[in-house]
Amino acid sequence: MLEPLPTLRAPEKPELIFARALPAREAFTWLAAGWNDLRASPVSSLAYGILLVALSYAALWALAAAGLLYLALPAIAGFLIIGPFLALGLYEKSRALESGDPVSLWRMVLVRPASSGQLAYAGLLLGLLVLFWLRAADLLYALFFGLTPFPGAEVAFANVLTTGRGWSLILVGGVVGGLFAGFAFALSLFSIPMMLAQKRDALTALGLSFSMTLQNLPVALAWGAIIAVGLAISVATGLLGLAVVFPVLGHGTWHAYRAIWKDAQ
């Protein structure tokens, strides 16, 4: 006698433990919280921002000295990838304010994350993404302008900004760079604050960050747009705006992490 066929059931959807149903406008709440953290102890945050400006100028000088100044724009875009790692001290200040601990620039610079070794590994992975993006930008330039000797930064910028092929390169490069930045943004947005506060291995933290971002996509995209606007303002001011913009966004990212992570098991 034939056995009855088993009853088919619809596959169960995994529980979305990080979904908070936050509206996109909640990103402005994080921005306001970041501003409040800066105002709570402005000297430490602004000094941290000034250090970052100095580091940015040093990086541009190194590119110029190596004859690679044409990679300045991709490098600035790559800043979105490693920005969360550079904001580690700002997360520490926001955490200290949250717990009522004393705040100082020394504490921010010499922060001791709960997952220090794994954090270094995550930083290495994010750094590799930046290198991949710079190489992709180099190859895109060669694709549009040919395998010819590099004409120099001034001529390269003129080629990109004043020719049809140059504008096509900007369009394609924007799409490719957006894919790099979007993927890295999802990986790093919450993983770096997480490894500051918790003992997590790098791959787990990166995966959790990706999941947290996807499960809260509207507000995460809104926060990403705010970061992009902040970076644009900084570029328009010759990177000097980073001294204020970066601390506000760094503090705000900590509050974003706290808002998404709360009650998660």
Side-chain angles (χ1 to χ4, degrees):
M1 182 176 179
L2 295 177
E3 296 290 334
L5 293 174
T7 302
L8 296 178
R9 295 190 303 172
E12 296 181 0
K13 294 183 179 180
E15 183 183 1
L16 301 179
I17 62 174
F18 297 114
R20 301 289 175 252
L22 297 174
R25 63 177 179 274
E26 185 68 16
F28 292 99
T29 302
W30 302 339
L31 184 65
W35 175 250
N36 289 336
D37 281 1
L38 183 146
R39 292 179 57 196
S41 180
V43 173
S44 59
S45 292
L46 292 176
Y48 195 95
I50 291 171
L51 286 174
L52 183 70
V53 172
L55 179 63
S56 300
Y57 281 129
L60 291 176
W61 177 85
L63 287 175
L68 299 174
L69 191 58
Y70 66 99
L71 291 177
L73 290 179
I76 291 173
F79 182 82
L80 292 171
I81 298 176
I82 62 173
F85 183 78
L86 296 175
L88 193 62
L90 299 168
Y91 305 151
E92 174 63 16
K93 176 186 171 181
S94 292
R95 183 174 71 159
L97 289 173
E98 191 177 88
S99 59
D101 294 336
V103 174
S104 68
L105 178 61
W106 192 250
R107 174 173 179 166
M108 295 167 65
V109 173
L110 299 180
V111 56
R112 299 181 62 181
S115 304
S116 55
Q118 290 298 312
L119 188 62
Y121 181 45
L124 175 63
L125 294 177
L126 294 176
L128 288 175
L129 274 178
V130 174
L131 292 179
F132 283 141
W133 163 228
L134 292 177
R135 177 51 59 189
D138 206 3
L139 293 175
L140 283 173
Y141 185 88
L143 178 65
F144 279 87
F145 290 98
L147 296 174
T148 59
F150 183 64
E154 293 183 3
V155 177
F157 281 127
N159 287 340
V160 170
L161 297 176
T162 62
T163 66
R165 283 187 296 177
W167 286 108
S168 298
L169 172 61
I170 291 175
L171 178 61
V172 175
V175 172
V176 175
L179 293 175
F180 269 95
F183 177 65
F185 175 75
L187 288 177
S188 62
L189 178 60
F190 301 115
S191 60
I192 308 304
M194 185 186 303
M195 284 187 283
L196 168 68
Q198 308 174 32
K199 283 189 175 295
R200 294 275 177 180
D201 68 271
L203 294 180
T204 297
L206 293 171
L208 286 173
S209 177
F210 193 85
S211 179
M212 292 165 71
T213 302
L214 290 185
Q215 292 180 30
N216 299 274
L217 197 55
V219 68
L221 288 176
W223 185 243
I226 290 174
I227 292 174
V229 170
L231 182 60
I233 292 173
S234 300
V235 172
T237 58
L239 299 183
L240 294 177
L242 275 178
V244 176
V245 170
F246 191 74
V248 172
L249 294 177
H251 292 313
T253 298
W254 172 262
H255 291 281
Y257 159 70
R258 295 290 292 158
I260 303 300
W261 181 261
K262 65 180 181 180
D263 302 326
Q265 301 296 326

